[in-house]
Amino acid sequence: MKPGQTQRTPWIVGVSGASGTPYAAAVLRALLEAGESVDLVVSRASRLTLLDETGISFRDAHWQDDLREWLARGADGKPDVFQVDIDRVRHWSAGDLAAGPSSGSYPSKGMLIVPASTACVAGVALGLSKDLLQRAASVTLKERRKLVVAVRETPLNGQTLRHLVTLDDAGASVVPASPGFYAGATHIQDLVDFVAGRVLDAAGVEHGLYRRWKGELGGSRSERPE
């Protein structure tokens, strides 16, 4: 690092193969809007889900173009809804176990896994480190950094519930992808942003993705436009 430069300390965002790629997109947009740097790990399984849910192929060789197209898309599938600057994003291939986030000496603020599949949850809970996403999560836990796991599956069987308790015991925050309706949602994007906002709340990142509870019943209805 050159004199006068500040150390880049990103949030690591892991995207696993569970349904819910719009959640990941909303989290990424909000992190960048908050001025945060991001290290992105997109698992092999999640690329199939992204293709199925959005029609976008995420390719290592063209990740910048693919990421721009993905983050510009609304939760309802419409293209070019958002304008996003991805200059603060660094992409690591999920198969690169020599990547920066694979080491505890690599600086990061923590990691957000969104969405988190049950297979991903099991791998992290058991310390398997079968790919960079799982390895980065294990590093985050051992370094006592923030790990937020946005599990997206229903119903949950006993084995997955035990894995989630293991993660909670290890210091992770488990945030089910469960939208709240008290914020006055009128669009699918509102429901997606609510979950993304709760993920960022758990990480301690400021955002304006949803209307917070103010202790007033009926507030969501009164704030809706006529």
Side-chain angles (χ1 to χ4, degrees):
M1 187 168 58
K2 296 180 181 179
Q5 286 185 332
T6 57
Q7 178 174 265
R8 181 181 181 272
T9 309
W11 283 98
I12 302 168
V13 176
V15 186
S16 80
S19 176
T21 54
Y23 293 131
V27 165
L28 288 166
R29 286 193 296 264
L31 284 172
L32 295 173
E33 186 175 347
E36 301 285 353
S37 296
V38 173
D39 276 20
L40 178 63
V41 181
V42 181
S43 76
R44 292 177 62 185
S46 71
R47 299 176 193 223
L48 298 176
T49 306
L50 182 64
L51 180 63
D52 186 52
E53 293 183 346
T54 68
I56 297 170
S57 297
F58 194 92
R59 304 157 294 175
D60 287 341
H62 304 280
W63 71 267
Q64 291 173 310
D65 292 336
D66 298 337
L67 181 62
R68 286 192 187 94
E69 183 180 1
W70 178 23
L71 297 190
R73 193 175 295 261
D76 58 0
K78 291 182 180 178
D80 303 321
V81 174
F82 300 99
Q83 292 185 342
V84 185
D85 182 355
I86 65 167
D87 286 346
R88 292 190 305 278
V89 179
R90 184 172 185 178
H91 167 257
W92 300 94
S93 173
D96 185 3
L97 291 177
S102 69
S103 173
S105 66
Y106 183 80
S108 78
K109 293 184 177 180
M111 183 173 184
L112 316 176
I113 304 178
V114 53
S117 66
T118 55
C120 174
V121 166
V124 177
L126 297 174
L128 298 182
S129 295
K130 73 168 189 176
D131 61 9
L132 180 59
L133 194 159
Q134 291 185 12
R135 172 59 185 169
S138 295
V139 167
T140 300
L141 287 175
K142 80 180 183 68
E143 297 295 326
R144 300 296 189 265
R145 297 168 184 160
K146 290 190 177 186
L147 175 63
V148 183
V149 179
V151 61
R152 215 307 306 164
E153 185 65 78
T154 190
L156 296 173
N157 62 28
Q159 189 174 44
T160 298
L161 290 170
R162 286 188 286 273
H163 289 151
L164 292 172
V165 170
T166 296
L167 291 178
D168 179 78
D169 289 343
S173 295
V174 177
V175 181
S178 302
F181 294 84
Y182 63 82
T186 59
H187 191 276
I188 186 174
Q189 189 68 55
D190 298 327
L191 298 175
V192 167
D193 286 347
F194 181 90
V195 171
R198 296 300 287 153
V199 170
L200 294 172
D201 287 346
V205 177
E206 293 188 4
H207 65 87
L209 288 175
Y210 68 89
R211 185 188 70 85
R212 297 186 181 276
W213 176 250
K214 299 178 182 178
E216 300 174 1
L217 294 176
S220 63
R221 292 191 298 273
S222 64
E223 292 184 13
R224 290 177 184 171
E226 296 297 333

